[in-house]
Amino acid sequence: MEEFGDYQTRRGLSFTTERGCINYAKTFMSNNLWQLWNDVNSLNLSHYDLVLNDFEPVSAWAAKKRGVPSISVSHQNAFRYAVPLQGANWLDRQVIEYFAPAEHYIGLHWHHFEQPILPPIIHTINSVCPEEAFVLVYLPFESINDITELLLRFTCQSFVCFHPEIIEHKQIENIEFFPLSFDAFQSSLSR
C-alpha cells in the first residue's frame, strides 16, 4: 500500500467461504454492519472527482451516497453480463448487484463469453525462465486440504500452489506449496 502514499483503511465487509461457496450466515455473523455504516458515513470524499473501486463496499457506498462518480473494476462485475454462472442463487445475484454499487462497471474474466468483458489485469515481471509445465494455483479462501485432495487426482500434472496456511515451502507429490509471497508469486506467474 505504500505505493499509494497517503492512504486509509477501513474494516469493510468480508465473506466467509466454505468449500468454494459463500456461507451467508457466517458472513453475516462475522461482520459488523454498524461499523460499515459508520465507515461509509465518515469517509471524506470531498477532495475526489472519481472513485475507482474493486468490489469494495465502503468507498462504493460512500461515493453513491455523496454523488461522486464511480467506476468499479472487478471479476465480480463480469457476472453482471450473460456469462455461465453455475449454482448462483437469488442471494448471490443480489450481492453482485448491491454489494458495491457504481455508475460504471468493468468486468474482468479469463474469457469474454461474447460480452464486453476485459481480461484480468496482471502485473508480470520480465524474466527469462525455462519452460515448465505447471499450473499456478491461488485459492486463498479454500481449504488447503480440499485443494490438495483435488490436485493430487491429476498425477500427470505439476502444480505450484500459494496459500496463506502454508508456513514454509514443501512438496507433496505433484504439488509444490509456497507461503504467500508477492515476489515468489509474481515469479511463478511470469514463468
Side-chain angles (χ1 to χ4, degrees), residues 1-7 182:
M1 291 297 298
E2 290 77 24
E3 307 254 347
F4 294 101
D6 185 20
Y7 65 90
F182 178 82

Side-chain angles (χ1 to χ4, degrees), residues 48-74:
Y48 294 91
D49 298 322
L50 174 73
V51 169
L52 183 62
N53 186 286
D54 178 15
F55 204 65
E56 181 281 307
V58 175
S59 62
W61 279 101
K64 181 177 180 73
K65 185 173 180 179
R66 290 168 184 76
V68 176
S70 59
I71 300 172
S72 178
V73 181
S74 72

Side-chain angles (χ1 to χ4, degrees), residues 77-114:
N77 289 331
F79 301 110
R80 293 176 174 278
Y81 297 98
V83 301
L85 191 57
Q86 183 178 353
N89 60 35
W90 176 85
L91 188 53
D92 295 327
R93 290 188 295 277
Q94 299 310 299
V95 167
I96 294 295
E97 183 70 24
Y98 298 108
F99 184 77
E103 287 184 47
H104 305 284
Y105 299 97
I106 299 172
L108 307 175
H109 204 293
W110 291 105
H111 187 74
H112 56 75
F113 302 103
E114 303 297 326

